[in-house]
Structures are given as C-alpha cells and as structure tokens.
Amino acid sequence: MAVLDVLASSARGMKLPEVATAMQLSRPTAYQRLLTLLEAGWVEQDPEMRYRLSMHACRIAAAALEQADLGTRVQPVLEMLVHRVKETASLAVLDRGLPCIVSRVESASVLRAEQKIGTTMSLEGSASGRILAAFADELTLSRLRESGVPLPSEELLSEARADGYAMSSGYTHSGVIAIAAPIFDLHGKCTSTISLVMPEMRFDLETFREPLLEAARTITRMQQGER
C-alpha cells in the first residue's frame, strides 16, 4: 500500500530505481512489491516501462465515495453551485490527517486555480483544513494534535465555528483564495467540506458566502437522509 502512495505522488508514473529510492528500498525488494501490485491489477507499466496506477484505483475510489455517501448524488450540487457563482467548487475529506480533494467541478473561466482530485492541502492554511479542524470531534482533534501537524490557531477555530465557514490564509497559494463550509452526517459529525476557490481579484465574500452555505446545507440533508 505504501508503494501505491508513492506512485500516486507522481504525475507520470515512476521507473523502478525511482520507486526504490523514494521508498529507501533495494531494487529487488521494490520490484517484488511492484510485481505483486501488477499481478493484482493495481499497477501497470507504460511503453517507457514506468510503473503507474491502473484504472482499478478509480473503481475503488468511486466505491469509497459511494460508501461515504459522497458519490453521484453530490456531483449535481457541485455543478449547480459552479453554474451559480461561476467559480470552481470542491469536496474535501480528512485523509490521514490532511484535507484531500475527492470531488471537483471546474469553472469555465480561463483564469482559475488548478487542483486535481487527490490533492492534499494544509490543515493550518487551507479553508477546508480550517473547517475540518474547527468542526472535528474531540478524538479526531486530539489525534491531529498528537500527530504534530500544524493546526490553525484557537482564535481561527473559534471564528470558523461561529461563522460556519472559513477562508484560506493566502500564503499557501499566492493570489488564490478559498472559502469552505462544513458538511455533517446523520450523527452531526463533520465528514467533509465544500469549498469555492478562485483568483483573489475575483473574491467577494457577500457574493459567494450564501451560495456556498446553501450547498453545504443541501449536502448535509442528503447525508442525514432528508429529502
């Protein structure tokens, strides 16, 4: 599984020596692990003999979204939000201590922030990270603190809880700003965030806040089994 994480970090696949170096393994050991993944259908080789994730990973990812109730039902909500505000919308979850984009609908604008599905973000500086930290249950928040990953200040966490949304710091992606809101499950746990991201020059809080919060409420009702 660690090999899959390493391969997922590369945009074009990796050759055997690159995998071995990244994992601090001998080449024979790295090859054996890659061979196991090849036989299981998780990995394939391109014409340049680079190892890359197969499309099997997409099927598993789609199944994970469905089991988390974040699958095809959520996509229309993102699309409607993007149609309404003309900016890119994303859905993010907490994955191994970091916000990870699991669904995304791009705006039609030529000037936009490019972030792919699977991209992880800062808990401290990203809008989604601030929301996931602010609305995390005590056990999750305790684990995040113990992990040593930088967290938003208590002031920012309190502000996000009071406002029901958070904005990004601006220092993680210069010239880009995001605003995110929490999504809750049947038990009132914040399971994910919905966010809008755009060039800073186009950001206007009054324009984007209510459409975002409305979309978050809609997905929350889906998560809670309401119509």
Side-chain angles (χ1 to χ4, degrees):
M1 301 307 292
V3 175
L4 295 179
D5 283 338
V6 168
L7 291 176
S9 69
S10 173
R12 59 189 183 118
M14 302 171 71
K15 292 190 174 180
L16 175 59
E18 295 174 310
V19 175
T21 299
M23 300 193 67
Q24 297 182 329
L25 297 172
S26 66
R27 291 192 186 184
T29 300
Y31 176 72
Q32 286 299 321
R33 295 186 184 182
L34 287 164
L35 184 60
T36 299
L37 292 168
L38 280 166
E39 292 175 348
W42 281 92
V43 168
E44 62 189 16
Q45 282 185 287
D46 65 16
E48 297 180 355
M49 301 303 289
R50 291 182 180 275
Y51 293 92
R52 64 188 183 192
L53 297 178
S54 72
M55 297 306 291
H56 179 64
C58 293
R59 185 174 68 82
I60 299 299
L65 289 176
E66 288 300 324
Q67 290 177 19
D69 289 331
L70 295 173
T72 55
R73 292 189 305 161
V74 170
Q75 195 70 10
V77 180
L78 292 178
E79 291 171 356
M80 288 178 62
L81 178 59
V82 172
H83 178 75
R84 183 175 176 182
V85 302
K86 306 298 187 292
E87 300 293 351
T88 296
S90 299
L91 200 73
V93 300
L94 196 61
D95 179 36
R96 289 167 295 179
L98 290 174
C100 177
I101 296 174
V102 294
S103 188
R104 189 169 175 88
V105 175
E106 299 282 354
S107 73
S109 174
V110 174
L111 185 60
R112 62 192 183 199
E114 294 288 346
Q115 286 180 308
K116 299 178 182 179
I117 291 176
T119 297
T120 56
M121 299 170 286
S122 160
L123 264 178
E124 179 187 23
S126 72
S128 290
R130 291 176 171 183
I131 287 295
L132 288 168
F135 291 92
D137 57 69
E138 283 302 319
L139 179 59
T140 300
L141 194 54
S142 176
R143 287 174 176 170
L144 290 173
R145 287 183 176 128
E146 289 172 3
S147 72
V149 65
L151 291 172
S153 67
E154 288 299 326
E155 181 181 356
L156 284 172
L157 294 179
S158 296
E159 188 176 307
R161 294 184 192 110
D163 293 338
Y165 65 88
M167 293 184 291
S168 58
S169 63
Y171 64 73
T172 50
H173 291 90
S174 180
V176 174
I177 194 165
I179 178 172
I183 295 168
F184 301 96
D185 67 9
L186 183 62
H187 306 290
K189 181 178 179 180
C190 177
T191 56
S192 54
T193 70
I194 184 170
S195 65
L196 290 168
V197 60
M198 67 215 71
E200 197 168 3
M201 67 183 74
R202 292 206 300 261
F203 181 75
D204 176 67
L205 179 59
E206 296 305 314
T207 299
F208 300 117
R209 178 177 53 195
E210 190 50 41
L212 177 74
L213 293 176
E214 184 179 323
R217 290 191 292 266
T218 298
I219 300 175
T220 290
R221 288 195 293 271
M222 290 180 176
Q223 291 273 77
Q224 296 178 346
E226 298 180 22
R227 295 287 181 178

